[in-house]
Amino acid sequence: GGVRVLDVRRKTKFREGHIEDATNIAHTRLMSRLDEVPDGKLLVHCRSGVRSARASAYLQRLGREVINLKGGFLAWEQEHKTVQDADAAGVAS
């Protein structure tokens, strides 16, 4: 159940802050890392929503149920949603 979050920004941006429990796969690496994309319905985002729209369209063509986060991570932060930093997430360097 539930929606899984797929962050398609670069790893450096992900480490600066991300949505809790998000999976990070850069949009440029998505095709080669499809096996790492979480199962189930996906909420896909990038910084502003442009690259994630392309990633969402690609995943939809593969039959995945996808929601593109309108406005991306910038909109998420502006709405004061929870953001996790690398230290809190235990992200390896």
Side-chain angles (χ1 to χ4, degrees):
V3 176
R4 305 293 306 268
V5 178
L6 178 62
D7 185 329
V8 296
R9 297 176 298 156
R10 296 180 189 271
K11 188 182 292 187
T12 53
K13 293 297 178 187
F14 182 80
R15 286 182 178 147
E16 291 173 6
H18 57 273
I19 297 172
E20 189 173 354
D21 296 326
T23 298
N24 177 232
I25 303 173
H27 73 287
T28 56
R29 307 230 188 281
L30 191 57
M31 290 170 72
S32 64
R33 295 179 59 189
L34 282 174
D35 59 328
E36 298 174 47
V37 175
D39 293 331
K41 190 174 195 175
L42 295 169
L43 175 67
V44 181
H45 79 87
C46 61
R47 180 180 163 273
S48 65
V50 175
R51 290 167 292 168
S52 61
R54 281 182 257 162
S56 293
Y58 172 69
L59 291 166
Q60 285 174 329
R61 285 193 302 274
L62 297 176
R64 298 300 305 269
E65 188 176 2
V66 177
I67 301 164
N68 181 47
L69 180 60
K70 185 177 180 181
F73 191 70
L74 294 174
W76 183 271
E77 284 186 305
Q78 287 175 353
E79 291 294 321
H80 307 288
K81 306 288 186 197
T82 303
V83 175
Q84 192 170 36
D85 65 20
D87 292 334
V91 175
S93 308

